[in-house]
Structure formats: C-alpha cells, structure tokens
Amino acid sequence: MADIIKFPNIKKALANPHPMNDLSFMCRMPNGKGMHYWNVEPTGNYPNDCQRGRELAIEYLTYLGAHPTYGNMALLGSIVVAMIESAPEKGLVIGFMGAVNEYAAASARLLAGEFKVPSS
C-alpha cells in the first residue's frame, strides 16, 4: 500500500452538508421524491472509466470523513445497489470499489494495530 489516498478540498461539503447536494454522482429523482444514488454515464473507455470511478470514490470518502453520520455511513450500500441496477461499464465499478477497498484495508490495518498512530 505505497499509494496514499489524498483527499481534495472539502469546503463546499462543510457549508450545508447533504449527500445529494454535495456528491456529484447523486441527484434528486425526476419526480422530486428520493435520490438517485449513482447518476454516472460510462465513457466506454475502460481505463478512463476506472479513473473516473476512483475519483468518485475519493469524493465519497472525503464526504464521509467530513460528515460521519449514520445516514452517510449507510450510503455505500445504496450506491452499490444503484451501480448494479444501472448496469454500468465495469471500469466505473472497479475504480470506485477499488479505491473504497484500499481505504477499508488501510483502516483495517490501523484497527489491527499494524500502524501506530503517533500520540500528540
């Protein structure tokens, strides 16, 4: 795990947090009721879709880190279900889930005591 995920600036997310407003891949349903959790069009280019999926995962993880509410922590399941239902190109899913998995693996290593967090 030589690569470290670097999170982008999250000032917008801190202003008025709501995942539908803050996450670029989510939007309100056409009838105005509910959310569409995965509104992403594949490019048809596998490497580009992998990169885009990764970028969207970093966006999601950044938001979750800034707003760790129970509702936001439950978003991943809804996002994955929406990905499956939209039958996207595999690159978007591979990129998104790969980045989420890297973050989960790093967190698991911390919890297992492999990394020591410096005391302040």
Side-chain angles (χ1 to χ4, degrees):
M1 295 204 50
D3 294 333
I4 296 175
I5 296 173
K6 294 182 178 147
F7 295 111
N9 190 329
I10 57 171
K11 286 182 182 176
K12 178 186 174 201
L14 295 174
N16 186 14
H18 190 284
M20 190 174 53
N21 298 329
D22 297 329
L23 296 174
S24 68
F25 55 87
M26 290 178 61
C27 65
R28 185 169 299 285
M29 296 293 261
N31 62 6
K33 296 179 182 175
M35 293 186 272
H36 187 55
Y37 292 91
W38 188 251
N39 188 31
V40 182
E41 290 295 322
T43 66
N45 179 295
Y46 183 79
N48 289 348
D49 285 346
C50 284
Q51 181 60 34
R52 180 69 179 137
R54 181 173 188 76
E55 291 166 358
L56 294 173
I58 299 303
E59 179 184 345
Y60 161 72
L61 293 168
T62 300
Y63 184 81
L64 183 60
H67 308 288
T69 65
Y70 288 115
N72 289 340
M73 287 189 277
L75 280 175
L76 184 58
S78 296
I79 292 166
V80 172
V81 167
M83 279 182 185
I84 293 166
E85 289 174 347
S86 68
E89 295 295 321
K90 290 181 182 177
L92 288 167
V93 176
I94 295 296
F96 187 94
M97 295 309 296
V100 170
N101 188 53
E102 289 170 13
Y103 188 85
S107 296
R109 290 174 74 186
L110 279 171
L111 292 172
E114 186 171 330
F115 295 118
K116 301 295 180 203
V117 177
S119 57
S120 22

